[in-house]
Each structure stands twice: as structure tokens, then as C-alpha cells.
Amino acid sequence: MEQVTALEHDRERLGRSSTAEKVADILRERIAEGFFTPGERLSEMEIGKALGVSRNTLREAFRLLSHERLLTHRLNRGVFVRVLSAEDVSDLYRVRRVIEGAAVRRATPEGLAALREALAEGDRAVRESRWRDVGTANLRFHQALAKMNGSKRLDDLMRQLLAELRLVFHVMIDPRLFHGPFVPRNKDLVALLEAGDYDRAERELDIYLDDAEAMLIEAFGRARAGGA
């Protein structure tokens, strides 16, 4: 099982202090990387064994992630990865516009370096046709963009939002068709920031987010029609 193997590698990150917060950080990161899919039941036994943590610690981590709207508890059935809706997509993008829109005017050399690093990661994934990893690189690009706001609270909020967004990405049948067009658009955005053209960068980001939201909303519509 891919998820269990990945979590076994994460065990050393916990060190001797396997707090619920650290376990939640690992699970949130794995959700953001696409390891868990919407509606998937999470096994306490398998995850606890892979991470080497107690059931109480794991349950507390599940509780924290439930508060972040990443997991949901179903009575007598267990804990499941949350299934998001088209309404969730609109709300996520509404918040992203506020956070990322402010960040484009606060570009720093360190921030631009982090953006370029995410671009390079995305390029490697494209060359190797690892489209899930292209999505992960895209999320890291936007996390780095939000980080230029210089606020730890916004960093934490963006990390949570992007984990939710990954759950939304699963609605796309072909991730290549969704993620592929945004790779060059990320590069265009960085070029504008490096040139100091913040007005245009803000406009392009607005269009970028509008386009991504529209694609996801349309995919939810197709999925709903197909299930009807």
C-alpha cells in the first residue's frame, strides 16, 4: 500500500516526541500530495503502525484535521477523507484571491527564489510525466507565493487551504489536462514579479485563479451529471 510505505518513511520525522500536532502535520502534507483520496477511509491500525504512534495520539491528530475540514468522522464507521463540493471550490478560491493577491506586491529575493525552486520541481515532474507531482509542485508554488506576505498565520491558513484544494483536484479525470497549462503560467507570473510589474502580475493572477476555478466547477458539474 503506497500510503503506508510513505508514512513509514515519515516516522523518523516524529523523533521521540510524537505529538498529535506533528502527526497531523504529516497527514496534512500527505493529503496535499494526493496520497489520500476523497471518501477514503483511514485505518487507525495501519497508520498508527506505520508512524509508530499510539491510538490516542492518532485520534487527536484526526480530530485536529477534522477541524481543518480535511477529515470527517462517521458514527460507527470511522474516519474518512472529506469529499468537497463545488461550493467549497468557490469559497477556497475566494480566500486564495485575498491571500495571494496581497502577496504579489510583497515580492522578496527569498520569495522569488522559493518560487523558482517550485518551478524547477514542476518542470522535472512534467518531463517525467508525473502529473500528480506536477500538482504538488503547483501547490508549493502557491504556498511560496503566499509566504511573501510575511505572516506565519497566513502561512498556516494557506497550508490548510491547499490541502483542501488537493482534495478538489481529484475531480479532474485527466490531471495532465488540468495541471499542464498552468506550468507556463506560473513562469509568466514569476517573470512579472522579477520585473517589478506588480499591477500586471496581480491582474494575471486574478485571471489565472478565475480560470482554475472555472475548470474545477465545470468538472464538478460533469461529475454530478454523470452520477445523476
Side-chain angles (χ1 to χ4, degrees):
M1 185 179 181
E2 183 184 11
Q3 294 102 323
V4 171
T5 301
L7 291 174
E8 286 174 346
H9 291 307
D10 288 330
R11 183 188 296 193
E12 63 186 41
R13 294 170 54 188
L14 293 173
R16 294 182 178 179
S17 176
S18 55
T19 64
E21 288 81 4
K22 289 183 178 179
V23 173
D25 286 344
I26 287 173
L27 294 177
R28 184 189 307 103
E29 183 177 319
R30 289 304 184 182
I31 289 172
E33 291 172 348
F35 278 82
F36 299 106
T37 57
E40 179 177 354
R41 183 180 181 278
L42 300 187
S43 169
E44 284 187 5
M45 181 178 297
E46 290 180 350
I47 294 176
K49 181 178 180 181
L51 291 176
V53 298
S54 70
R55 178 168 294 184
N56 286 340
T57 296
L58 185 57
R59 286 179 174 175
E60 177 62 16
F62 284 169
R63 188 187 67 80
L64 292 172
L65 294 177
S66 294
H67 282 306
E68 295 181 12
R69 297 183 293 277
L70 296 175
L71 303 179
T72 183
H73 181 268
R74 300 179 190 172
L75 187 63
N76 298 325
R77 295 186 60 191
V79 175
F80 293 78
V81 180
R82 185 164 171 257
V83 177
L84 278 74
S85 66
E87 290 73 20
D88 290 313
V89 173
S90 296
D91 196 35
L92 286 168
Y93 275 84
R94 192 173 297 117
V95 179
R96 288 187 66 187
R97 288 184 184 91
V98 174
I99 296 175
E100 297 183 54
V104 296
R105 296 186 175 278
R106 294 177 169 84
T108 63
E110 296 80 7
L112 291 172
L115 292 177
R116 287 191 292 269
E117 184 178 339
L119 290 178
E121 180 184 342
D123 283 341
R124 288 192 296 271
V126 168
R127 288 194 298 270
E128 298 169 9
S129 296
R130 293 182 285 107
W131 294 104
R132 187 179 74 181
D133 293 338
V134 174
T136 300
N138 182 60
L139 294 179
R140 289 177 178 163
F141 176 89
H142 289 280
Q143 180 74 54
L145 179 61
K147 191 176 181 63
M148 292 196 298
N149 279 305
S151 167
K152 185 179 183 305
R153 288 178 175 83
L154 286 179
D155 288 347
D156 290 342
L157 176 58
M158 193 67 177
R159 196 171 293 111
Q160 174 187 331
L161 292 175
L162 294 180
E164 286 190 82
L165 193 62
R166 169 62 86 169
L167 297 179
V168 171
F169 286 172
H170 288 283
V171 76
M172 306 303 295
I173 296 174
D174 188 342
R176 178 181 63 84
L177 293 179
F178 178 60
H179 296 304
F182 290 101
V183 173
R185 294 178 73 170
N186 286 342
K187 294 177 182 178
D188 292 343
L189 184 59
V190 170
L192 291 172
L193 293 176
E194 289 177 330
D197 194 346
Y198 303 129
D199 288 339
R200 187 176 171 192
E202 187 173 10
R203 291 195 300 271
E204 290 300 319
L205 178 63
D206 280 340
I207 297 170
Y208 178 120
L209 294 176
D210 285 346
D211 290 346
E213 180 184 358
M215 292 173 71
L216 290 166
I217 294 292
E218 182 181 356
F220 269 97
R222 288 195 301 269
R224 187 180 298 113

